Amino acid sequence: MSDCVKYLLDEQDLPRYWYNIAADLPQPLPAVLHPGTQQPIGPEDLAPLFPMAVIEQEVSTEREIEIPQPVRDLYRQWRPAPLYRARRLEQALDTPAHIYYKYEGVSPTGSHKPNTAVAQAFYAREEGVKRLTTETGAGQWGSSLALAGAFFDLDIEVFMVKVSFQQKPYRRAYMESFGAACIASPSELTQAGRSILAEHPDSTGSLGIAISEAVERAVQRDDTKYALGSVLNHVLLHQTVIGLETHKQMELAGEAPDILIGCTGGGSNFAGIAFPFIGAKLRGGSGPRIIAVEPSNCPTLTKGCYAYDFGDTAHLTPLVKMHTLGSTFVPPGFHAGGLRYHGMAPLISHLAQLGELEARSYGQLECFAAGIEFAKAEGILPAPEANHAVKAAIDEALYCREAGVQRTILFNLCGHGNFDMQAYQDYAAGNLQDQQYDEVELAMALSGLPSVA
Ligand SMILES: *Cc1c(COP(=O)(O)O)cnc(C)c1O
């Protein structure tokens, strides 16, 4: 058994700037459109929803954006995060490949989400906001914003997808411990929630519905804004701290990745590790093959349309161009709750169109098997979402063995699975299936895409 190989950075190596890939795009992102007029929106249209500093980041094309000192000070609690070489996994797979993983499970909530939660809470606080509303699927994002709210003395209101609210009572207790309010969605608190309940009293909810409720609550009060945990440009920007650190750590290791892998729900952890590497390539350098991995029953990049769509079910959000399964699509229940979103980040969708990344999908059973194989070798049980990246990394390493080639594989281990024991228990008991999404429902959701002139 070989030693643990770990690459740590000093505190002074914690990045001072986030990296904004918009500065290096060969073609700009398609405009965000107003849902009524279908005209490009301006910052003032978003002002009821987000703090102005966040809106400026959303549309910025400056390459480097300074990380405010209070945010860096909070980052220092868990950052720089370690990069590991998975030597024991390499041995178990008997592969010539070198496998590295960046570990974001060292944050207080056990995932990458606090990287943007503390930044968003900071900007809200600076602008005198008293309350933030948000949605959460599996509970990771709600937990991270609850934590950030406690740091910056903000009231946090979390609409949690009802099926998760019922399945994961510990998540709610976690959020409430930090002083947040956690409401099962659809709820009676909003018009969006009430109209869904009137039609479907037994609705188990979806991220799209929970977003509608959180947005509706935010626009009703002047002291309240909305926070989103993925998808938007500013969220992806905040997560680039992951890839910026990893870039330095790979230099410490004396290697450059040939293959870079991340799992994609809305795309933020993937963008976080990948964008600094893609950016170097866009500026004329060389770079790794980039692989985005998604669940086969919510296959946004591999089966969705690249089209203008809403971010939510009640159609309160602006229209963004992205890979989408249709805003009314509700994926079957599966355990990587963080990956159950109908759309993909516009920046990632755009880069996929430009040929800068490839996408693939896996079923949940093969991902759990990969996660357990990883855990036995490396000692960390991954979050069910992260298992998708683990599975792709193992597949690439096995390919190296079969083909007799050496490759350096890097992936983002975006969170640990210590809050997801129900999922592992269900897997071990044989109670999980690879349930296919409903083709008819997907076709219907896609045919309902808004027509944009
Ligand atoms: C939320 C979450 C995801 C999915 O979100 P992205 O924005 O795609 O990163 C993936 N993994 C974990 C551990 C999460 O908490």
Side-chain angles (χ1 to χ4, degrees):
M1 182 158 293
S2 53
D3 295 337
C4 171
V5 185
K6 172 158 119 176
Y7 298 92
L8 292 176
L9 294 174
D10 293 332
E11 235 172 67
Q12 70 261 24
D13 290 323
L14 207 166
R16 293 180 183 280
Y17 298 87
W18 291 301
Y19 166 63
N20 181 12
I21 200 167
D24 293 318
L25 291 175
Q27 294 159 28
L29 269 187
V32 175
L33 304 181
H34 189 281
T37 64
Q38 298 201 350
Q39 292 303 305
I41 60 165
E44 66 287 356
D45 293 306
L46 293 173
L49 277 185
F50 300 108
M52 210 26 100
V54 160
I55 296 171
E56 280 163 17
Q57 292 179 352
E58 191 61 23
V59 298
S60 170
T61 52
E62 238 168 277
R63 184 172 290 122
E64 294 190 316
I65 295 180
E66 192 168 2
I67 305 175
Q69 195 53 44
V71 174
R72 279 188 93 230
D73 287 343
L74 286 171
Y75 277 179
R76 281 172 46 232
Q77 187 184 342
W78 69 95
R79 309 209 69 87
L83 175 79
Y84 292 95
R85 167 112 182 246
R87 291 289 279 272
R88 293 189 299 262
L89 181 65
E90 291 169 17
Q91 281 175 359
L93 298 172
D94 190 24
T95 176
H98 295 180
I99 307 175
Y100 291 84
Y101 59 96
K102 176 72 164 174
Y103 186 42
E104 289 294 314
V106 292
S107 85
T109 61
S111 80
H112 63 289
K113 297 248 172 45
N115 296 333
T116 184
V118 296
Q120 293 191 48
F122 166 78
Y123 291 121
R125 175 74 200 197
E126 283 284 282
E127 296 181 22
V129 173
K130 297 275 185 296
R131 186 168 71 154
L132 286 175
T133 64
T134 197
E135 72 292 326
T136 198
Q140 265 292 350
W141 171 241
S143 300
S144 300
L145 198 66
L147 166 88
F151 284 149
F152 289 105
D153 198 18
L154 294 165
D155 291 338
I156 304 293
E157 194 174 87
V158 182
F159 289 87
M160 185 168 187
V161 177
K162 193 171 276 173
V163 59
S164 303
F165 183 90
Q166 288 159 349
Q167 279 173 355
K168 303 184 178 194
Y170 296 143
R171 278 293 184 184
R172 175 184 175 190
Y174 188 99
M175 291 179 236
E176 288 176 350
S177 302
F178 286 95
C182 179
I183 301 129
S185 165
S187 78
E188 297 284 350
L189 276 184
T190 65
Q191 184 54 46
R194 286 190 295 271
S195 65
I196 300 263
L197 287 172
E199 233 183 289
H200 308 283
D202 299 328
S203 170
T204 53
S206 72
L207 272 177
I209 295 169
I211 293 174
S212 297
E213 292 206 271
V215 166
E216 187 182 323
R217 289 283 282 182
V219 297
Q220 277 167 356
R221 271 171 55 166
D222 279 348
D223 64 353
T224 303
K225 302 278 178 195
Y226 167 68
L228 189 62
S230 187
V231 179
L232 295 179
N233 303 345
H234 66 272
V235 181
L236 276 52
L237 171 80
H238 300 155
Q239 295 295 354
T240 58
V241 67
I242 302 171
L244 292 166
E245 287 176 7
T246 307
H247 206 275
K248 287 188 197 168
Q249 288 164 310
M250 289 302 302
E251 276 171 11
L252 280 183
E255 295 208 63
D258 299 304
I259 302 170
L260 188 157
I261 297 166
C263 70
T264 46
S268 72
N269 89 84
F270 169 80
I273 193 161
F275 279 7
F277 289 89
I278 299 177
K281 208 161 154 186
L282 291 175
R283 292 192 299 277
S286 59
R289 239 179 93 200
I290 310 273
I291 306 175
V293 191
E294 57 187 15
S296 50
N297 45 20
C298 191
T300 320
L301 277 169
T302 50
K303 295 277 172 62
C305 284
Y306 184 55
Y308 274 100
D309 198 7
F310 295 95
D312 72 320
T313 308
H315 297 175
L316 302 175
T317 69
L319 290 165
V320 292
K321 196 156 188 195
M322 61 181 175
H323 285 87
T324 178
L325 299 167
S327 62
T328 56
F329 179 74
V330 178
F334 57 94
H335 264 300
L339 305 183
R340 292 182 74 232
Y341 184 60
H342 69 271
M344 181 53 58
L347 273 170
I348 292 175
S349 297
H350 186 63
L351 288 162
Q353 288 302 109
L354 293 172
E356 293 296 333
L357 57 95
E358 53 194 279
R360 69 171 71 156
S361 70
Y362 290 114
Q364 69 172 348
L365 291 179
E366 55 189 343
C367 291
F368 274 103
I372 285 171
E373 186 170 18
F374 176 86
K376 285 178 176 162
E378 295 296 317
I380 299 169
L381 193 61
E385 293 85 1
N387 283 341
H388 292 73
V390 172
K391 168 66 180 157
I394 290 179
D395 273 8
E396 290 299 321
L398 291 177
Y399 169 81
C400 289
R401 183 177 79 190
E402 302 315 319
V405 293
Q406 197 282 316
R407 295 271 187 279
T408 299
I409 301 167
L410 165 66
F411 73 94
N412 195 22
L413 188 63
C414 52
H416 66 63
N418 297 1
F419 287 116
D420 301 283
M421 285 309 118
Q422 187 65 49
Y424 281 94
Q425 203 171 23
D426 290 349
Y427 174 72
N431 291 337
L432 294 190
Q433 284 116 35
D434 276 330
Q435 201 191 343
Q436 257 304 317
Y437 61 84
D438 186 334
E439 296 272 359
V440 177
E441 203 198 314
L442 175 58
M444 263 171 58
L446 286 177
S447 69
L449 284 175
S451 55
V452 172

